[in-house]
Amino acid sequence: MHIAEPCVFDTVLRMRTNAGVRPVEFCGNMMMQNATDMEIAVIKPNSCITIEIKHDDKLSEDFQAYVQVALLYTSMSGVRKLRLHNLALPVSSNLADLYKSCDMDTVVNSLTKEFGKALVSSHSYKNLKEQLLQRVSNSLACYRQNCAAPSQPGQLILPETLKLLPLYSHCLLRSPALMPSVEVSFDEKSNLLQRLAMMTVEETELFLYPRLYNLNTSTLGNEGMPPIIRSSYDRIRESGAHLLDNGLVLILWVGANTPSKWLQEVMGVTVLDQVDPTVGNLQPFDNPTSIRIRGIIDEIRVKRKQHLRLNVVRQKDKTEHIFMQFLVEDKTELGMNYTDFLCSVHREIRNILS
């Protein structure tokens, strides 16, 4: 968190809507003493609260649905202020219009917070897994039945705006915040759930599907970020290094066959066994490769809310499982890989339609 970051205190937030729609679910780090007012100690520019609005009455397509958010707060100068945000939303009975205007990033953010909140109250990962699979399958089956062009029953048809919904749903089930694991303590899980409750849309995407950068010399380039590869062990090359970033963790994975020249230029050693996994940061060396990689790490850090410590993992080392748990497309002891999950979603859709 930046010390000079602006913020407001002692806030009370309330949402008002016109007849026919109403707020029903609230997710975030807040306290509610009644059914309408959300009391939040501090709000910063990147704070995020999710509110689910339910449609429970007939709405005319000739009119719009109106939403107003009122925020009462104390400024940094101690002045009590009120801020209003008004939003007018179009009304449509056409499901095709609904799917065309769907924002998948916001849907994923909402699902993540909803199921994180549900885990705290139910403590049943198995039930949450079944509920998420059912929710995703129902949404995609509805599109297939009402919006998609006729096609073969065995073909998986996804709306353009929700093509990655199965992937992010799989990643949510793989998240250490939800998935049972002896590697994650209760304190760590509690901390992750608290962070999830206030994550922005961009932060949720990055947390669920980490960015995996290829740091091989041939792909580094001279500016910008290096190429991003899919989050799977099959995509990793033993003859190089990769940098993983999920917004909360920064891991430098070094392959068993990484060239000694790269190790010398970046790590200051000539063989992998001499790499110190506890360094926490890279030493500065006066060569283009070292300067380039340290610049990439600095560019990632400056975008995050807190300083990210660099964790170095050597291939086939006993700590490699820490790195592998973030490779969300792969199979684990408690969960299937992404391909198998996508097949299970497809089967569920076919069952619903039949």
Side-chain angles (χ1 to χ4, degrees):
M1 182 179 70
H2 300 291
I3 296 177
E5 186 176 40
C7 57
V8 296
F9 310 96
D10 192 19
T11 68
V12 180
L13 187 146
R14 175 182 291 188
M15 173 178 284
R16 303 182 180 95
T17 60
N18 63 308
V21 293
R22 59 188 176 92
V24 291
E25 289 292 336
F26 308 87
C27 295
N29 293 333
M30 68 186 76
M31 180 179 69
M32 297 188 67
Q33 300 190 57
N34 54 52
T36 58
D37 295 341
M38 292 162 276
E39 300 181 30
I40 309 165
V42 179
I43 289 184
K44 295 172 287 188
N46 52 14
S47 297
C48 183
I49 298 166
T50 303
I51 303 175
E52 179 183 341
I53 302 175
K54 183 179 180 180
H55 165 221
D56 55 6
D57 200 356
K58 186 176 181 180
L59 293 175
S60 173
E61 294 188 56
D62 297 329
F63 300 94
Q64 294 177 311
Y66 297 99
V67 176
Q68 182 186 80
V69 176
L71 179 66
L72 180 65
Y73 64 92
T74 301
S75 67
M76 297 181 70
S77 58
V79 179
R80 199 69 172 157
K81 296 183 179 182
L82 178 67
R83 190 166 195 174
L84 299 177
H85 293 272
N86 299 310
L87 186 64
L89 303 172
V91 176
S92 175
S93 59
N94 189 338
L95 282 173
D97 292 340
L98 175 66
Y99 280 98
K100 284 180 181 178
S101 60
C102 184
D103 188 326
M104 189 209 66
D105 301 335
T106 303
V107 170
V108 171
N109 181 271
S110 179
L111 282 175
T112 301
K113 294 180 180 181
E114 178 185 341
F115 280 86
K117 181 180 178 180
L119 181 66
V120 175
S121 58
S122 69
H123 304 287
S124 175
Y125 174 78
K126 182 180 179 180
N127 291 342
L128 292 180
K129 181 178 179 180
E130 294 173 355
Q131 291 174 22
L132 181 59
L133 178 61
Q134 192 67 34
R135 287 271 294 275
V136 172
S137 302
N138 282 334
S139 298
L140 299 178
C142 178
Y143 174 81
R144 175 71 179 265
Q145 188 172 32
N146 298 284
C147 306
S151 59
Q152 295 295 327
Q155 187 176 359
L156 179 61
I157 306 296
L158 301 176
E160 190 67 30
T161 54
L162 296 177
K163 278 190 173 181
L164 295 180
L165 181 59
L167 173 61
Y168 280 108
S169 301
H170 169 71
C171 295
L172 176 56
L173 294 174
R174 282 286 311 268
S175 166
L178 268 67
M179 190 176 188
S181 173
V182 295
E183 304 293 340
V184 183
S185 68
F186 287 112
D187 289 341
E188 290 174 322
K189 188 178 288 290
S190 176
N191 177 53
L192 288 174
L193 288 172
Q194 185 182 34
R195 288 176 178 269
L196 277 181
M198 294 295 283
M199 279 187 178
T200 64
V201 170
E202 295 80 9
E203 290 168 345
T204 304
E205 283 187 342
L206 182 59
F207 176 75
L208 294 180
Y209 196 96
R211 290 173 188 158
L212 188 59
Y213 297 99
N214 188 344
L215 297 185
N216 295 326
T217 306
S218 59
T219 61
L220 275 179
N222 297 320
E223 58 183 17
M225 299 301 289
I228 298 177
I229 63 175
R230 291 175 61 174
S231 186
S232 172
Y233 203 83
D234 294 337
R235 304 283 175 166
I236 292 175
R237 297 171 56 185
E238 294 186 358
S239 59
H242 297 81
L243 183 68
L244 183 140
D245 166 37
N246 79 339
L248 302 178
V249 175
L250 197 60
I251 299 177
L252 176 62
W253 180 91
V254 186
N257 298 325
T258 301
S260 58
K261 179 182 178 182
W262 190 97
L263 293 174
Q264 180 66 48
E265 291 179 341
V266 179
M267 313 295 294
V269 298
T270 55
V271 294
L272 184 62
D273 290 341
Q274 295 176 339
V275 173
D276 184 5
T278 65
V279 291
N281 213 346
L282 294 180
Q283 297 183 37
F285 296 106
D286 189 17
N287 64 75
T289 304
S290 174
I291 294 172
R292 176 76 173 113
I293 292 179
R294 284 187 289 110
I296 292 169
I297 294 174
D298 290 342
E299 187 171 345
I300 292 174
R301 282 172 169 167
V302 77
K303 297 177 182 177
R304 305 296 172 242
K305 292 181 180 179
Q306 69 282 331
H307 177 79
L308 299 183
R309 184 182 187 275
L310 183 66
N311 301 277
V312 179
V313 173
R314 301 175 296 193
Q315 186 180 16
K316 299 178 182 178
D317 203 358
K318 61 181 180 180
T319 59
E320 191 180 22
H321 69 278
I322 299 174
F323 170 75
M324 293 176 66
Q325 73 177 351
F326 295 105
L327 303 180
V328 291
E329 292 196 27
D330 294 341
K331 180 180 175 60
T332 66
E333 295 180 1
L334 297 176
M336 61 186 78
N337 60 29
Y338 172 56
T339 302
D340 292 339
F341 179 80
L342 191 61
C343 291
S344 67
V345 171
H346 191 194
R347 285 194 301 269
E348 190 66 27
I349 293 174
R350 295 180 65 180
N351 292 336
I352 294 172
L353 296 177
S354 62

